[in-house]
């Protein structure tokens, strides 16, 4: 009886831990929607949610399935007032890119992941620029995107160290 | 088998996202409703999450005000004596104005404040300039209403849910606001282009503004009441005429949603009741 209760407790704990990647990335999506009252951040706010999707796709891909990535992207599109489907599509492509590399390839030390992200972030930014320009039928200012990508790269260590702390909670969770 | 399933699900969601991207651009009423419904759910969360930033901002503002309180007091005393003289002149002109309007049967614009709202979210995107407010259809907010604050115009409502609404800012690429030059009343259009300083378009011949000119709303289009402060011309070159908006759109706190209507009195002997113009 006591054994089954323990199993139940462990199951519930495991379930709660299992949603942490989703919850943390959702938190990053919401953080991106807040008003920071700084004029320069208005155009150059870093892609925080991209860091979340990238990080969890490397370390806990099973807890960040494509359906969850799609939902998070869709939510970001809805809350930001952008074209519906843009972030959903780009997040899935980022996840696909990470999965294609193979877990052993990216699951190395932090510096290697950061170097790969330095390539991912501008490509992601360029893709948002291209989609937004097509959607608005007018070429948009490309320099803002570079600024956004650079800020995302700069903030990457900070966000991933916070996510790393969350991952520590998931340490005994099977992938 | 697992690999096949993964490929299938990725492919399915990619196609779904692409379909939403292509067909979602039509802004169908159903999609609009779903969007507003989702926003309604998240606005209370965003409202709470944005409170600390408001607190920090208020504190910074307060410190800034304390630092300049003495010089500001002297400036306001001087301004007050000037305004007292201007007020006497203005009240005489207002009486004249009222009398002439009556004679010419000019429609009187009526501004109705629908709701005071708090800005809870900002798109923070270089391509889409909009904010979310915590008032919706249950407070009387509707698509097409104007949004202003104490400094000037902010934007207009583009979608409204039950308890939230999205405001398209005056700087957004899709924003067009009929404006006029304060000095001579020449009408033009303020066009957003996603930059900090929107440009003036459809300038009539000989109506070229110069740097420093004040821009006001013209009242055409029946969205914004006339004579609201828009901003000041800060740049005139071959790339266009740019306006610095009076309202700091990156630092919005509370805004007012207003509705503008024109009531045109019937000519003398027409029954004494006023008739309202039909809104488009």
């Amino acid at each position: 009886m006591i054994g089954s209760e323990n199993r139940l407790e462990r199951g519930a704990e495991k379930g709660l831990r299992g949603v942490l990647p989703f919850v943390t990335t959702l938190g990053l999506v919401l953080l991106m929607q807040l008003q920071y009252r700084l004029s320069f951040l208005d155009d150059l706010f870093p892609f925080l949610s991209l860091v979340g999707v990238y990080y969890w796709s490397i370390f806990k891909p099973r807890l960040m399935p494509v359906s969850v990535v799609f939902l998070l992207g869709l939510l970001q599109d809805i809350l930001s007032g952008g074209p519906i489907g843009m972030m959903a599509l780009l997040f899935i492509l980022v996840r696909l890119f990470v999965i294609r590399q193979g877990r052993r390839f990216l699951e190395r030390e932090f510096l290697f992941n950061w170097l790969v992200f330095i390539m991912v972030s501008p490509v992601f930014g360029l893709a948002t620029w291209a989609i937004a320009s097509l959607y608005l039928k007018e070429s948009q200012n490309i320099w803002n995107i570079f600024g956004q990508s650079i800020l995302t790269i700069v903030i990457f260590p900070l966000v991933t160290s916070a996510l790393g702390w969350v991952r520590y909670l998931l340490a005994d969770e099977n992938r | 088998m697992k690999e096949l399933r993964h490929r299938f699900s990725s492919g399915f969601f990619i196609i779904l996202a692409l379909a939403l991207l292509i067909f979602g651009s039509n802004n169908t009423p159903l999609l609009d409703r779903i969007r507003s419904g989702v926003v309604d759910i998240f606005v209370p969360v965003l409202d709470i999450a944005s409170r600390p930033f408001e607190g920090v901002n208020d504190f910074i503002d307060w410190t800034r005000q304390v630092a300049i309180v003495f010089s500001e007091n002297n400036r306001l005393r001087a301004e007050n004596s000037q305004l007292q003289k201007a007020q006497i002149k203005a009240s005489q002109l207002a009486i004249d104005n009222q009398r002439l309007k009556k004679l010419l049967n000019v429609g009187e614009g009526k501004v109705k404040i629908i709701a005071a709202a708090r800005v809870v979210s900002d798109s923070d995107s270089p391509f889409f300039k909009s904010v979310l407010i915590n008032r919706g259809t249950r407070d009387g907010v509707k698509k097409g209403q104007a949004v202003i604050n104490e400094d000037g115009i902010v934007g207009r409502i583009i979608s409204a849910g039950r308890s939230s609404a999205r405001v398209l800012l005056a700087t957004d690429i899709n924003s067009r606001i009929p404006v006029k030059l304060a000095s001579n009343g020449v009408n033009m259009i303020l066009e957003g282009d996603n930059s900090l300083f929107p440009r003036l378009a459809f300038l009539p011949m000989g109506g070229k503004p110069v740097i420093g000119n004040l821009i006001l709303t013209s009242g055409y289009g029946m969205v914004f009441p006339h004579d609201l402060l828009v901003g000041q011309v800060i740049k005139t070159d071959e790339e266009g005429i740019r306006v610095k908006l009076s309202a700091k759109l990156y630092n919005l706190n509370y805004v007012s949603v207003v509705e503008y209507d024109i009531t045109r009195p019937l000519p003398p002997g027409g029954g004494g009741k006023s008739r309202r113009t039909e809104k488009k």
Side-chain angles (χ1 to χ4, degrees):
Chain A
M1 190 69 180
I2 293 169
S4 70
E5 265 178 25
N6 278 347
R7 261 204 310 278
L8 207 70
E9 247 173 54
R10 236 179 288 141
E13 195 183 352
K14 204 172 170 182
L16 280 176
R17 285 175 181 182
V19 296
L20 278 177
F22 167 73
V23 171
T24 49
T25 315
L26 176 68
L28 293 172
V29 169
L30 294 180
L31 267 180
M32 285 185 74
Q33 309 309 318
L34 297 180
Q35 209 187 22
Y36 294 92
R37 301 167 196 276
L38 298 166
S39 65
F40 79 96
L41 270 185
D42 217 29
D43 278 340
L44 304 174
F45 200 81
F47 304 115
L48 294 181
S49 47
L50 168 68
V51 181
V53 170
Y54 176 81
Y55 185 86
W56 291 118
S57 299
I58 293 172
F59 293 105
K60 295 281 174 189
R62 203 174 60 83
L63 300 180
M64 195 58 133
V66 68
S67 52
V68 167
V69 171
F70 174 81
L71 272 180
L72 286 165
L74 205 61
L75 183 67
Q76 181 160 334
D77 289 329
I78 289 173
L79 292 178
S80 69
I84 290 191
M86 179 171 86
M87 284 298 165
L89 176 68
L90 295 176
F91 283 172
I92 294 173
L93 293 178
V94 168
R95 187 185 182 275
L96 259 180
F97 167 78
V98 173
I99 302 287
R100 278 283 162 93
Q101 307 311 310
R103 254 165 56 193
R104 295 282 165 259
F105 177 71
L106 283 166
E107 203 178 329
R108 297 191 205 177
E109 69 270 29
F110 162 77
L111 202 63
F112 183 78
N113 278 328
W114 197 13
L115 283 173
V116 175
F117 189 78
I118 287 172
M119 288 184 290
V120 170
S121 181
V123 173
F124 181 87
L126 273 176
T128 59
W129 171 82
I131 294 174
S133 295
L134 278 172
Y135 185 82
L136 298 169
K137 299 180 186 86
E138 194 176 320
S139 177
Q140 297 297 296
N141 183 355
I142 201 162
W143 298 111
N144 286 332
I145 276 303
F146 283 115
Q148 253 185 313
S149 300
I150 290 166
L151 269 182
T152 313
I153 291 164
V154 170
I155 211 161
F156 181 84
L158 195 75
V159 179
T160 50
S161 53
L163 295 176
W165 180 78
V166 175
R167 189 161 68 100
Y168 175 75
L169 297 174
L170 295 165
D172 55 346
E173 173 95 3
N174 290 327
R175 279 189 203 111
Chain B
M1 189 63 187
K2 201 179 166 187
E3 174 71 12
L4 196 73
R5 209 177 59 197
H6 174 252
R7 276 191 185 185
F8 172 76
S9 63
S10 293
F12 170 75
F13 283 110
I14 286 175
I15 291 168
L16 188 59
L18 273 171
L20 282 172
L21 200 51
I22 294 163
F23 299 110
S25 60
N26 297 336
N27 277 334
T28 54
L30 176 72
L31 206 67
D32 226 29
R33 270 208 303 278
I34 295 171
R35 218 175 169 146
S36 302
V38 175
V39 170
D40 272 354
I41 295 167
F42 281 92
V43 154
V45 181
L46 291 166
D47 197 356
I48 294 165
S50 62
R51 294 279 171 180
F53 294 101
E54 190 188 334
V56 171
N57 194 55
D58 287 349
F59 178 73
I60 293 168
D61 269 359
W62 179 79
T63 341
R64 199 181 294 148
Q65 278 169 18
V66 167
I68 59 163
V69 73
F70 288 110
S71 58
E72 188 69 359
N73 190 34
N74 286 336
R75 191 185 66 79
L76 288 173
R77 275 175 195 275
E79 197 175 273
N80 194 31
S81 67
Q82 274 179 345
L83 286 174
Q84 275 172 354
K85 287 172 203 158
Q87 193 189 14
I88 298 164
K89 204 175 170 187
S91 56
Q92 286 166 350
L93 288 170
I95 294 164
D96 282 353
N97 193 21
Q98 202 66 37
R99 198 166 45 83
L100 291 169
K101 270 183 180 171
K102 231 176 198 170
L103 282 172
L104 293 168
N105 190 27
V106 173
E108 197 67 64
K110 224 167 88 180
V111 183
K112 188 177 163 196
I113 296 175
I114 304 294
R118 190 167 168 269
V119 174
V120 294
S121 160
D122 189 336
S123 56
D124 277 331
S125 159
F127 310 128
F128 312 101
K129 304 287 180 190
S130 64
V131 294
L132 289 174
I133 56 171
N134 65 350
R135 292 283 180 267
T137 48
R138 68 172 177 198
D139 308 291
V141 175
K142 279 188 293 192
K143 191 174 170 178
Q145 287 168 339
V147 180
I148 58 174
N149 74 356
E150 69 277 16
D151 295 325
I153 61 154
V154 171
R156 66 184 160 87
I157 304 286
I158 51 165
S159 67
R162 243 182 80 73
S163 58
S164 67
R166 183 170 294 282
V167 181
L168 185 82
L169 297 179
T171 47
D172 188 272
I173 197 161
N174 289 314
S175 168
R176 302 284 182 276
I177 298 169
V179 294
K180 66 181 179 189
L181 270 179
S183 54
N184 55 15
V186 170
N187 292 307
M188 46 196 84
I189 299 287
L190 184 79
E191 270 187 2
D193 62 351
N194 286 344
S195 73
L196 201 56
F197 307 116
R199 61 186 169 217
L200 288 175
F202 299 106
L203 278 80
M205 296 288 278
K208 201 180 172 192
V210 291
I211 291 173
N213 274 171
L214 278 181
I215 306 294
L216 307 175
T217 50
S218 65
Y220 290 133
M222 300 286 292
V223 173
F224 287 93
H226 59 84
D227 294 334
L228 283 179
L229 187 59
V230 174
Q232 204 168 16
V233 175
I234 54 153
K235 198 176 159 191
T236 58
D237 57 23
E238 62 279 355
E239 279 179 27
I241 297 155
R242 297 278 171 181
V243 175
K244 185 185 179 192
L245 298 174
S246 312
K248 289 177 187 157
L249 300 189
Y250 61 88
N251 189 11
L252 294 169
N253 198 355
Y254 289 93
V255 292
S256 298
V257 182
V258 297
E259 196 171 56
Y260 181 51
D261 205 356
I262 289 184
T263 311
R264 199 178 290 280
L266 283 173
K273 278 188 180 173
S274 61
R275 94 179 158 235
R276 293 175 84 195
T277 52
E278 283 297 314
K279 265 200 152 185
K280 279 170 202 165

